[in-house]
């Protein structure tokens, strides 16, 4: 059976008007020392593309899928067939999933685990035949009602145990399918009111949970990178892994810094009141940039709308950080994104990925050129020049005291500051984006 009634998507270049073609993503073209495919490491998110029905808080699902009529395990098996055909046709090498995305939950944990065994056997076979790889998997410890008060931060010890059992099983799956990373998104690890919350106990428990997860991964020989995915709110009004800086402080406090890196989602960054680039930079500066959930929010909507990335200004700045990080490997760009509710046809799944892949491919092309030219790097070097000699050099070398700084300041007659010419920077980045194709 064929699920996607299209040919394999190929690169036709920026002038193509064929919606089923890449305009900027040319997988084998080299940008610097790597091919586009090696730089971008795209991944399909099982949940949005193969499990979700496009419902929103005000309306039922609109998605029309060939597997809709099937029930439970048959549906799960059909989805495995469909995602591998999808990866083949789009040329995407990686995929990601939560436990509940791939197999139905049974009435007991043992039954759920049995369903997972059957489906992961099937996935494993497909991986062997096709060479497709698992970027990461994770445990969904937020949808089921048992997680109403959280999972690792639940007020109920039984829930903590259940959550641990699910992560244990997911780590077994990660090992079985050679996942390159393992993600923790604290879906309900947060609170609604501090008046009924023991925040200290909850955070201590979260750290205990992570330590046990790492101990178990070591025990079974799973060596994939552990990733934390920060998000400030939704579903709870306050999520503990608020943003990179907050989660980084948590990891440092509990001595977990060496175990984790971050999986940064664009829409979560903007929900936190940051830019996507800010989150990437903060992680990169601290050696903690691991992987990316590639999507975008809508400026007029508050919710985590998970749109496919199309804003090339954003993808350019993201790729700028990623290139400066030396890439993301073993992480990648996972499309944690879904079609709008109005784009309900099965082929819309392909069209949405094309938009996202092209947006990041264009961002890669532009960012590579920017870095090659050193236009912005030279501005930064000049901006901080006073720290390379004299008093500045002493500050950098921690070789000066407040008293000496005062003596120095008392002798200053006039301090000459420089204009940033910020608007020139904004204009130059527009030039970079607009000129990229005419230079080819
Ligand atoms: C939800 C998160 C989720 C994680 C994986 O907002 O983005 O999809 O990526 O649990
Ligand atoms: Ni995500
Ligand atoms: Ni999200």
């Amino acid at each position: 059976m064929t699920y996607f009634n299209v040919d394999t998507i190929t690169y036709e270049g920026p002038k193509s008007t064929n919606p089923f073609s890449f305009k900027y993503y040319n997988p084998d073209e080299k940008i610097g020392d790597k091919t586009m495919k090696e730089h971008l490491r795209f991944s399909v998110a099982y949940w949005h593309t193969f499990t979700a029905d496009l419902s929103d808080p005000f309306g039922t699902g609109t998605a029309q899928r060939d597997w809709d009529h099937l029930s439970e395990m048959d549906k799960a098996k059909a989805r495995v067939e469909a995602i591998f055909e999808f990866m083949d046709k789009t040329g995407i090498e990686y995929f990601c999933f939560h436990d509940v995305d791939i197999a139905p939950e049974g009435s007991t944990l043992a039954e759920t685990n049995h369903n997972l065994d059957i489906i992961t056997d099937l996935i494993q076979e497909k991986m062997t035949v096709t060479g497709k790889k698992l970027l990461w998997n994770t445990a969904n410890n937020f949808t089921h009602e048992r997680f109403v008060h959280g999972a690792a931060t639940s007020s109920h010890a039984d829930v903590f145990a259940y959550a641990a059992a699910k992560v244990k099983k997911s780590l077994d799956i990660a090992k079985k399918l050679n996942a390159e990373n393992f993600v923790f998104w604290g879906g309900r690890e947060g609170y609604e009111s501090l008046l009924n919350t023991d925040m200290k106990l909850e955070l201590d428990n979260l750290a205990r949970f992570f330590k046990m997860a790492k101990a178990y991964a070591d025990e079974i020989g799973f060596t994939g990178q552990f990733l934390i995915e920060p998000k400030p709110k939704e579903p709870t009004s306050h999520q503990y892994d608020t943003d990179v800086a907050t989660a980084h402080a948590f990891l440092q406090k509990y001595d977990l810094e060496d175990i984790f890196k971050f999986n940064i989602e664009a829409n979560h960054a903007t929900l936190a009141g940051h830019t996507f680039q800010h989150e990437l930079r903060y992680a990169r500066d601290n050696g903690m940039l691991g992987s990316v959930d590639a999507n975008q929010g809508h400026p007029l909507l508050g919710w985590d709308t998970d749109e496919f990335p199309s804003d090339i200004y954003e993808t350019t700045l993201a790729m700028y950080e990623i290139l400066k990080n030396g890439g993301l490997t073993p992480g990648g760009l996972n499309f944690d994104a879904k079609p709008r509710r109005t784009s309900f046809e099965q082929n819309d799944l392909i069209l949405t990925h094309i938009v996202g892949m092209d947006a990041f491919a264009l961002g890669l092309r532009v960012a590579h050129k920017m870095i090659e030219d050193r236009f912005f790097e030279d501005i930064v070097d000049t901006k901080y020049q006073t720290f390379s000699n004299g008093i500045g050099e002493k500050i950098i070398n921690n070789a000066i005291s407040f008293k000496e700084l005062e003596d120095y300041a008392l002798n200053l007659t006039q301090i000459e500051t420089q204009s940033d010419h910020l608007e020139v920077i904004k204009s130059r980045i527009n030039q970079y984006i607009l000129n990229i194709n005419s230079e080819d």
Side-chain angles (χ1 to χ4, degrees):
M1 151 136 206
T2 302
Y3 290 94
F4 298 96
N5 190 20
V6 290
D7 294 332
T8 300
I9 310 302
T10 56
Y11 173 70
E12 291 185 7
K15 297 219 165 69
S16 170
T17 52
N18 172 12
F20 289 97
S21 76
F22 295 123
K23 320 298 179 295
Y24 302 100
Y25 180 58
N26 189 12
D28 297 320
E29 182 185 330
K30 276 208 160 171
I31 303 288
D33 57 354
K34 285 192 272 182
T35 63
M36 296 190 96
K37 195 172 169 174
E38 287 164 344
H39 275 293
L40 296 165
R41 296 169 60 81
F42 290 128
S43 161
V44 184
Y46 217 103
W47 55 103
H48 281 310
T49 299
F50 292 94
T51 318
D53 62 3
L54 303 185
S55 55
D56 71 18
F58 301 101
T60 53
T62 56
Q64 297 169 358
R65 306 289 183 249
D66 287 348
W67 46 87
D68 283 343
H69 64 285
L70 300 171
S71 59
E72 298 291 306
M73 284 301 274
D74 285 341
K75 191 186 276 186
K77 287 175 186 168
R79 283 169 171 155
V80 174
E81 297 290 333
I83 191 174
F84 279 89
E85 183 193 324
F86 183 87
M87 287 192 283
D88 180 41
K89 290 198 162 151
T90 53
I92 297 179
E93 293 294 300
Y94 291 92
F95 62 111
C96 296
F97 60 77
H98 304 80
D99 47 2
V100 303
D101 303 333
I102 58 167
E105 283 195 83
S107 51
T108 62
L109 184 59
E111 208 179 293
T112 302
N113 288 348
H114 179 65
N115 290 346
L116 284 167
D117 289 340
I118 294 170
I119 300 299
T120 52
D121 279 350
L122 197 60
I123 291 178
Q124 191 174 36
E125 270 171 46
K126 288 276 180 192
M127 287 173 75
T128 311
V129 175
T130 61
K132 302 294 181 191
K133 291 167 276 193
L134 182 57
L135 186 68
W136 53 260
N137 65 313
T138 183
N140 176 328
N141 283 350
F142 46 89
T143 299
H144 193 280
E145 63 193 32
R146 76 176 73 84
F147 300 118
V148 61
H149 300 302
T153 66
S154 171
S155 45
H156 201 310
D158 288 357
V159 178
F160 185 100
Y162 205 100
K166 286 191 78 207
V167 168
K168 176 182 174 293
K169 181 67 183 173
S170 285
L171 285 166
D172 288 332
I173 292 171
K175 165 84 179 158
K176 174 174 174 178
L177 301 180
N178 281 317
E180 299 190 17
N181 305 269
F182 188 86
V183 163
F184 293 87
W185 171 59
R188 292 195 189 268
E189 316 292 26
Y191 62 81
E192 295 300 326
S193 167
L194 281 178
L195 293 173
N196 67 359
T197 302
D198 186 341
M199 183 159 76
K200 181 164 189 316
L201 175 84
E202 293 197 1
L203 286 169
D204 286 349
N205 276 353
L206 185 59
R208 290 184 181 106
F209 193 93
F210 286 147
K211 285 193 174 151
M212 285 190 263
K214 174 64 177 156
Y216 185 67
D218 288 347
E219 196 182 317
I220 61 172
F222 172 67
T223 54
Q225 174 67 55
F226 272 22
L227 298 168
I228 284 190
E229 184 178 323
K231 186 174 183 180
K233 54 190 171 187
E234 298 170 9
T236 64
S237 53
H238 184 107
Q239 301 271 132
Y240 290 132
D241 299 327
T242 302
D243 59 5
V244 173
T246 309
H248 189 226
F250 167 86
L251 293 175
Q252 286 176 311
K253 174 179 175 187
Y254 292 98
D255 213 10
L256 287 160
E257 204 191 358
D258 295 342
I259 297 173
F260 283 95
K261 286 192 176 179
F262 288 106
N263 182 39
I264 296 173
E265 179 165 321
N267 204 164
H268 296 182
T270 48
L271 283 173
H274 298 306
T275 61
F276 185 21
Q277 188 187 14
H278 169 93
E279 290 293 81
L280 295 167
R281 174 69 64 90
Y282 200 98
R284 172 164 83 77
D285 279 347
N286 287 285
M288 298 292 281
L289 176 52
S291 201
V292 164
D293 269 4
N295 64 12
Q296 68 185 26
H298 194 291
L300 300 182
L301 300 173
W303 191 256
D304 187 11
T305 54
D306 292 338
E307 289 184 18
F308 271 84
S310 62
D311 182 333
I312 54 178
Y313 203 99
E314 289 295 308
T315 57
T316 296
L317 296 176
M319 286 315 300
Y320 182 79
E321 297 301 324
I322 291 168
L323 288 177
K324 292 213 155 224
N325 193 56
L328 287 173
T329 310
L333 296 174
N334 171 51
F335 288 116
D336 193 350
K338 61 185 173 196
R340 296 306 84 195
R341 189 167 177 268
T342 46
S343 302
F344 45 75
E345 287 176 14
Q346 198 150 295
N347 276 348
D348 283 314
L349 296 174
I350 300 227
L351 294 169
T352 48
H353 280 77
I354 290 175
V355 171
M357 291 162 83
D358 270 338
F360 266 92
L362 184 55
L364 166 63
R365 288 174 189 274
V366 178
H368 174 75
K369 180 86 177 88
M370 280 163 57
I371 293 170
E372 223 177 32
D373 287 358
R374 288 194 51 85
F375 175 78
F376 299 101
E377 283 73 5
D378 288 345
I379 286 177
V380 173
D381 286 354
T382 311
K383 184 170 173 179
Y384 297 94
Q385 220 173 21
T386 57
F387 284 97
S388 57
N389 50 49
I391 192 87
E393 195 180 7
K394 286 187 185 160
I395 294 170
I396 296 287
N397 292 331
N398 303 312
I400 199 157
S401 69
F402 252 30
K403 178 77 189 54
E404 290 163 292
L405 286 167
E406 185 196 43
D407 290 345
Y408 180 86
L410 286 169
N411 285 318
L412 287 172
T413 44
Q414 206 188 345
I415 300 177
E416 284 201 19
T417 54
Q418 309 281 323
S419 167
D420 245 358
H421 308 303
L422 182 59
E423 293 72 14
V424 173
I425 291 176
K426 294 187 176 182
S427 152
R428 183 56 74 104
I429 192 162
N430 284 349
Q431 279 181 290
Y432 270 106
I433 292 173
L434 291 168
N435 290 348
I436 197 74
N437 288 308
S438 49
E439 283 167 15
D440 293 340

